[in-house]
Amino acid sequence: EDQVTQSPEALRLQEGESSSLNCSYTVSGLRGLFWYRQDPGKGPEFLFTLYSAGEEKEKERLKATLTKKESFLHITAPKPEDSATYLCAVQPGENFNKFYFGSGTKLNVKP
Amino acid sequence: EAQVTQNPRYLITVTGKKLTVTCSQNMNHEYMSWYRQDPGLGLRQIYYSMNVEVTDKGDVPEGYKVSRKEKRNFPLILESPSPNQTSLYFCASSPRVGSGDGYTFGSGTRLTVV
């Protein structure tokens, strides 16, 4: 069964304190893994797509990496405006019309 | 501005009263999808559409209907809403399946069924 698990559920950081969020997945062949950011009261906003193990993508203070079983979203020197819920989603290769989302990690960065 | 527009943003209705949530995108995207978001369960796919007149079930389609008569519109229909359909609903689109561009999401519709 295709499954996505994100950890931790919530993370509180001080401004400037780097950390990582985890997304582990079980899927029938991976076509793509996606990271999104969701602010309260809004729809998710697309951040990255990763396709194969070893791939990395960066955007400002965020870097996403991918292995065969999990993905990490590394946050370097976070700022309060990075506070949001971060979601990952996988697109299985056997049916790439479907997407499976994790429950998200709620990040709170204190000034 | 490129966007996905959902209406209404908030809706309170009674059990059994048919309702429609509209979704429109202005990006000429082929692929559209509906999700519901519940605490602890994440986003779950209800229905998706690969193009005009082509739709298929996601993981939680029971109690919902969709149609795709035009490329830009993808309404979600609840023929007889029940309290377990109380949720936050999102419409999303992408250029085409497998494009790697990720979805553009609407702002959401918070539905309460009493």
Side-chain angles (χ1 to χ4, degrees):
Chain A
E1 181 182 325
D2 299 325
Q3 195 168 346
V4 180
T5 303
Q6 290 188 247
S7 62
E9 288 186 16
L11 181 61
R12 178 180 290 188
L13 299 174
Q14 286 296 128
E15 185 172 0
E17 180 187 2
S18 301
S19 189
S20 297
L21 314 182
N22 177 264
C23 171
S24 64
Y25 61 91
T26 306
V27 70
S28 308
L30 181 71
R31 184 172 178 92
L33 185 141
F34 301 78
W35 281 97
Y36 290 85
R37 170 193 170 123
Q38 186 175 22
D39 293 300
K42 295 189 175 181
E45 176 187 347
F46 171 69
L47 294 172
F48 304 110
T49 308
L50 301 166
Y51 292 103
S52 56
E55 189 175 359
E56 300 182 351
K57 293 271 180 78
E58 283 189 70
K59 182 178 182 179
E60 296 180 357
R61 295 176 292 282
L62 300 178
K63 183 167 87 171
T65 62
L66 181 65
T67 73
K68 288 188 177 180
K69 293 184 177 180
E70 58 192 349
S71 177
F72 292 94
L73 185 65
H74 307 278
I75 303 177
T76 302
K79 299 182 177 181
E81 54 260 43
D82 294 322
S83 297
T85 296
Y86 290 86
L87 305 173
C88 77
V90 297
Q91 183 183 29
E94 286 190 355
N95 184 353
F96 51 82
N97 289 307
K98 292 198 170 184
F99 294 83
Y100 298 96
F101 280 80
S103 300
T105 293
K106 186 172 183 179
L107 174 64
N108 187 4
V109 182
K110 295 286 193 181
Chain B
E1 181 189 352
Q3 60 185 357
V4 175
T5 303
Q6 290 179 235
N7 282 297
R9 286 294 308 274
Y10 302 92
L11 179 59
I12 300 175
T13 190
V14 296
T15 299
K17 185 176 180 182
K18 180 178 178 180
L19 66 91
T20 299
V21 183
T22 64
C23 173
S24 181
Q25 51 92 5
N26 63 0
M27 298 164 283
N28 201 37
H29 284 176
E30 291 182 354
Y31 184 86
M32 298 185 74
S33 189
W34 275 102
Y35 288 85
R36 60 178 290 173
Q37 187 173 39
D38 301 290
L41 295 177
L43 284 156
R44 292 180 292 167
Q45 196 171 27
I46 302 171
Y47 269 94
Y48 59 88
S49 170
M50 292 81 80
N51 214 324
V52 176
E53 303 290 2
V54 184
T55 63
D56 206 350
K57 297 177 181 178
D59 286 323
V60 288
E62 295 77 21
Y64 305 95
K65 283 176 56 177
V66 294
S67 67
R68 186 99 180 269
K69 294 184 170 59
E70 306 165 284
K71 198 170 189 177
R72 66 184 304 140
N73 295 323
F74 191 44
L76 180 69
I77 303 157
L78 285 72
E79 295 265 359
S80 182
S82 62
N84 64 13
Q85 293 178 297
T86 293
S87 187
L88 179 59
Y89 291 86
F90 287 101
C91 180
S93 72
S94 71
R96 58 195 174 282
V97 173
S99 68
D101 292 330
Y103 283 124
T104 301
F105 279 86
S107 298
T109 296
R110 187 166 291 280
L111 172 66
T112 303
V113 184
V114 299

